[in-house]
Amino acid sequence: MSSRPSVGFHPPRRLIAALVGLAAIAVVAPLAVAPMPYLWDVPNHLARLWVLLGYAKGTPVAAMYQPDWSLAWTNLGLDHLGMVLGQVLPFDALGPALVALSLLIVPAGLIVLNRALFGGPHIWHVGLFLLAWNFIVVGGLLSFQLGLGCALFAAALDTRLTGLSRWRRFAARAAMATGLMVVHVFGLMFFLLLLVGLDVGRRRPPVEQPIARRLIVRRLVYATAACVLPVVALALFAPRLPGAHVVPGAGAQFKATMLQFPPPTVLEHLSIMLTPLKTYDLVPDLLTVFAIMSLPVFALLRGRLQMHFGLFWLAVTLFVLCHFVPSTLFGTGWIEKRLPAMAGLMWAASVRPQLPATVRGQVLVGCLLLGAVIARAAFIGTVWSGQQAAVRDLRAVSATIEPGSAVLVAEQFTGSVSDPRAPLGRYAHGEPIFRHLPTLLVIWRQAFVPTVFSAAGKQPLKVLPPWIQLAVPEGGTPNLDELDAPEALIDFHYLADWRRRFHYLLVINADLPNVGRQIGDVPGIREVAVRPFARLYRIDKP
């Protein structure tokens, strides 16, 4: 491995720029075939933004939800960006625009940081667009994705601040850290980790020398202090901290939101490590891993891999640590997936393969990388296009719901999240990506759905009484077997006396059989509309 400046022949800058531009277009191309991006949390985010932008005024939804920006000081990247874009875009275009920016900001940040470390454009930058699609995006965690991209840009900017005095650079870092905390607190964490890697240095530091050790420790202390300052301010002055909704007395709770670890299986932990690249299906994801790893590995074997020592080995460390962190902590999930997401991006920014040595060979590699990006985008587009049928079914069955109605959502479950009968993309690596689609009823029918995100400390949205009695700040969806099960009240408190409290029962994932209770065995409901993915029932009041 080498940390020397690049040598050899390079394709014209315009050719690299053209390949990078085509890769960027390919990444966002699936949005052209899918009016509703098929990402887990995105429908829920859109329902919240619809209220925040004022579209609920004059509708029954105004008595259900109310914007309250004092509730959250972090995790607001998507909300602030949505508020800005919502002033100039029609609402139907807002979702695709937010997804497009969330997809592009990460490879753009990787390119900027990689150029700051190694200089100039490079064919490797085309392959970085393979990292635009990852399980963070599939999960719809767009504020986190925006935070990752912003952290990469901030780290690249920090490399340009070495000429400033110590305290001016400290102030600049603290200012960037404050902005990142507003976007997403894990974006701030990623920025700190990037600073640590940068401060360790491009080459292995002589840590056996006391002077070198003291220098590194001093650098790391300053970097940590700059990033900790906004966190301290958040802890001291924010009205509500993230996770406040799982504190007794702070609203509805969801089982296991305080602390939970992933299953201790080999396959689960291999899946965790695939987070930076996995999407909807294992085989295409493994092909993507091969596509992005082949060039650096080949360059490493030939001794032509440039590497930033601090960032590279910190990325390796994060990949190891991700196996020992909880999956859920204080109301925030997917903790174990966030570290490998950071590690993958840090690794990609920290290397630059210098193969092959001829212009023709590099152009060929660039075209192959672009072909991999296009193939990945085509796969995503296929999944999204196929799942638009579920969106259409949901819209069709909900057409008769009266504004102001309360809609209880339940799902059918076959007993397996890998059931081969499920359409491609319905589940992604065991996760039910369809689950938040019913929150679109807030927009389409001005109806109440219990699961619109309203977690104190994370979303600037307040659920108003009496609707607060039916709401959960974040959570899942009961299946048919849980509708009348007393033990289900731990997770879904609103199921208590649900026939009296709700007007409609909406059953989703209805084209797959339920493993236990059948919908015909649920008393007190009358069929209203049926489509393959969704069925609507009127609830008979007791």
Side-chain angles (χ1 to χ4, degrees):
M1 285 178 281
S2 171
S3 60
R4 295 171 297 179
S6 60
V7 294
F9 301 96
H10 301 282
R13 289 173 176 260
R14 289 184 179 179
L15 176 60
I16 295 178
L19 292 174
V20 166
L22 290 173
I25 293 172
V27 162
V28 299
L31 293 165
V33 300
M36 174 54 60
Y38 188 65
L39 305 172
W40 193 355
D41 285 356
V42 164
N44 210 313
H45 293 320
L46 292 177
R48 182 177 70 258
L49 284 169
W50 188 80
V51 177
L52 295 179
L53 285 165
Y55 288 99
K57 292 179 180 178
T59 75
V61 177
M64 303 172 186
Y65 306 100
Q66 175 182 299
D68 188 344
W69 291 91
S70 70
L71 291 176
W73 285 18
T74 185
N75 194 39
L76 296 174
L78 186 70
D79 297 283
H80 284 307
L81 183 60
M83 291 299 292
V84 172
L85 295 180
Q87 308 303 317
V88 296
L89 293 177
F91 191 80
D92 287 345
L94 182 60
L98 291 171
V99 172
L101 290 174
S102 300
L103 289 170
L104 293 175
I105 192 171
V106 161
L110 286 172
I111 290 171
V112 170
L113 181 55
N114 192 262
R115 291 188 62 163
L117 296 176
F118 302 106
H122 195 271
I123 286 297
W124 174 239
H125 296 162
V126 180
L128 296 180
F129 282 88
L130 290 169
L131 288 153
W133 289 101
N134 52 63
F135 213 52
I136 300 302
V137 170
V138 171
L141 307 183
L142 299 192
S143 283
F144 179 40
Q145 177 84 350
L146 290 169
L148 294 175
C150 290
L152 291 166
F153 276 102
L157 177 59
D158 184 77
T159 65
R160 305 297 185 185
L161 303 180
T162 53
L164 297 180
S165 67
R166 178 187 302 170
W167 293 110
R168 286 186 177 180
R169 192 178 188 189
F170 179 88
R173 285 178 164 184
M176 290 188 288
T178 301
L180 283 165
M181 186 191 69
V182 174
V183 175
H184 200 284
V185 70
F186 282 102
L188 170 58
M189 177 181 174
F190 186 41
F191 179 54
L192 172 58
L193 292 170
L194 289 169
L195 292 183
V196 169
L198 291 171
D199 284 343
V200 168
R202 183 166 176 169
R203 296 177 176 86
R204 180 188 177 277
V207 292
E208 63 277 2
Q209 301 176 9
I211 294 178
R213 288 199 301 269
R214 287 196 295 270
L215 178 61
I216 292 176
V217 170
R218 185 165 62 245
R219 288 176 178 174
L220 299 185
V221 167
Y222 282 126
T224 303
C227 293
V228 166
L229 277 178
V231 177
V232 172
L234 176 72
L236 292 177
F237 302 112
R240 307 293 288 275
L241 294 176
H245 60 285
V246 300
V247 177
Q253 300 183 55
F254 190 71
K255 184 179 68 175
T257 53
M258 293 297 290
L259 181 64
Q260 187 177 21
F261 285 86
T265 64
V266 173
L267 290 179
E268 177 65 24
H269 285 270
L270 288 175
S271 180
I272 289 171
M273 290 188 67
L274 281 176
T275 298
L277 288 168
K278 72 180 182 180
T279 54
Y280 296 97
D281 189 72
L282 182 60
V283 173
D285 295 340
L286 291 178
L287 291 175
T288 303
V289 173
F290 174 80
I292 198 170
M293 290 294 296
S294 56
L295 187 58
V297 170
F298 187 52
L300 174 63
L301 296 176
R302 298 293 299 271
R304 295 182 60 86
L305 180 68
Q306 288 183 273
M307 182 192 77
H308 187 285
F309 178 89
L311 290 176
F312 182 91
W313 288 108
L314 183 54
V316 173
T317 302
L318 292 178
F319 271 122
V320 173
L321 290 178
C322 72
H323 300 291
F324 304 98
V325 298
S327 57
T328 304
L329 181 65
F330 296 120
T332 298
W334 282 26
I335 305 295
E336 85 287 8
K337 295 179 177 63
R338 298 176 195 258
L339 284 185
M342 299 177 194
L345 298 181
M346 190 179 294
W347 168 82
S350 71
V351 299
R352 179 175 284 191
Q354 295 297 334
L355 284 174
T358 65
V359 172
R360 176 179 293 181
Q362 291 191 40
V363 171
L364 176 61
V365 169
C367 291
L368 290 174
L369 289 173
L370 176 61
V373 174
I374 292 173
R376 187 161 169 85
F379 168 69
I380 299 294
T382 300
V383 173
W384 281 19
S385 178
Q387 290 301 323
Q388 294 308 295
V391 180
R392 292 191 295 269
D393 287 350
L394 187 61
R395 190 154 202 165
V397 299
S398 64
T400 59
I401 294 177
E402 301 87 358
S405 299
V407 180
L408 172 62
V409 182
E411 65 182 59
Q412 296 195 166
F413 179 52
T414 66
S416 172
V417 294
S418 58
D419 194 311
R421 292 171 291 182
L424 178 63
R426 180 70 61 84
Y427 295 94
H429 294 275
E431 302 290 357
I433 306 302
F434 61 90
R435 186 166 282 171
H436 287 300
L437 287 175
T439 56
L440 293 171
L441 269 61
V442 175
I443 303 171
W444 295 341
R445 303 306 308 163
Q446 291 83 62
F448 179 85
V449 179
T451 53
V452 173
F453 292 149
S454 57
K458 293 195 286 187
Q459 280 94 34
L461 188 69
K462 178 190 296 184
V463 185
L464 301 174
W467 301 96
I468 185 81
Q469 302 302 320
L470 298 180
V472 289
E474 52 189 18
T477 302
N479 58 49
L480 293 184
D481 300 287
E482 294 172 314
L483 287 179
D484 295 301
E487 61 273 16
L489 297 177
I490 299 174
D491 282 352
F492 312 105
H493 70 97
Y494 54 82
L495 290 179
D497 200 15
W498 60 268
R499 291 176 179 82
R500 181 182 60 82
R501 305 167 86 184
F502 289 88
H503 302 99
Y504 289 95
L505 171 64
L506 175 67
V507 178
I508 58 174
N509 207 31
D511 49 351
L512 296 177
N514 195 57
V515 67
R517 187 186 201 184
Q518 302 303 303
I519 188 63
D521 299 328
V522 179
I525 59 174
R526 288 180 288 115
E527 184 180 287
V528 175
V530 175
R531 294 291 292 267
F533 173 76
R535 298 178 181 181
L536 184 69
Y537 298 86
R538 167 73 77 169
I539 298 174
D540 295 327
K541 298 303 177 183

